[in-house]
Amino acid sequence: KLGTYAFQNCSSLSKIVLPENLTEIGQYAFDGCSSLSLVTMGNAVTTIGSSAFRGTASLKEIALSSALKTIGSNAFANDKNLTELSLGKSVESIGDNAFYGIGIKTLVLPSSLKTINYYGLQALQKLENFVTENGGTYQAVDGVLYTANGTTLVAYPCSRNGEYRIPAGVTKIERNAFYQTSLSKIVIPDSVTEIGESAFDYSNDWKTIVFGKGAKVIPSSCCYYDRALTTVIIPEGVTTIKESAFWWCT
């Protein structure tokens, strides 16, 4: 195991070749290694700890271990120049903010993936498409991430703009699904009966949200800090608008 804080804030470290038999990269192991541009990782690593590669601003690409199962929270957070990321074929869980702010345009998720924490895919501001392998827990439909059965919208790529109409048949919008979206308009079908907290928050581009007739509750922080929002259509039948649902909207 590579221990916690092993190389934290080694700002001049530019390259690292990890041992082939290494199985775990500890928390904060390379946190703040701002010059680190090359990481060679063997295929025995099964766990990358929280914030292990956070703030490695010079890192542009990395291929993760083919045995990797767990990616901890903030593992690659704020690696804004990271544009090439290969997750391997064995990843099962992705922690909160694991890829926060990285620069990839396409994220390929393996069929082994079972769990994505609520904030696991947020703030990928350059992201254009999700891609999934067949037979997994999740599926990408036209680049948008859904559960395998297509009933829950999990995450929408941040960089896409314009209008999006959620397909009929979707019943749930996951928490933070449209966090920091670049869309200007969203139309929610009547089939949606559940909307997660903060589903549409922190956007500078939302102008119009049309709620369908299926959801009776607009959740907490649903459209929190959507600074461009000018039009909200709420149909009859909505019984509850929870706290801070439209806080700090224009």
Side-chain angles (χ1 to χ4, degrees), residues 148-227:
N149 61 9
T151 60
T152 298
L153 194 159
V154 178
Y156 190 89
C158 277
S159 72
R160 291 188 180 185
N161 53 28
E163 176 180 331
Y164 185 64
R165 292 178 175 267
I166 297 173
V170 173
T171 59
K172 181 179 179 181
I173 299 170
E174 193 58 90
R175 185 173 181 172
N176 296 102
F178 290 87
Y179 178 84
Q180 290 189 350
T181 185
S182 299
L183 289 171
S184 58
K185 182 178 180 179
I186 185 85
V187 178
I188 303 169
D190 295 343
S191 59
V192 171
T193 57
E194 183 180 353
I195 300 172
E197 290 184 11
S198 308
F200 306 106
D201 63 344
Y202 283 100
S203 172
N204 291 322
D205 298 290
W206 278 133
K207 293 181 179 178
T208 302
I209 297 181
V210 181
F211 288 92
K213 297 178 181 179
K216 306 302 181 185
V217 177
I218 295 178
S220 302
S221 304
C222 180
C223 300
Y224 187 97
Y225 211 80
D226 289 344
R227 302 297 290 154

Side-chain angles (χ1 to χ4, degrees), residues 54 81 136 145 205 245-246:
R54 183 180 64 174
N81 292 312
L145 191 64
D205 298 290
F246 297 95

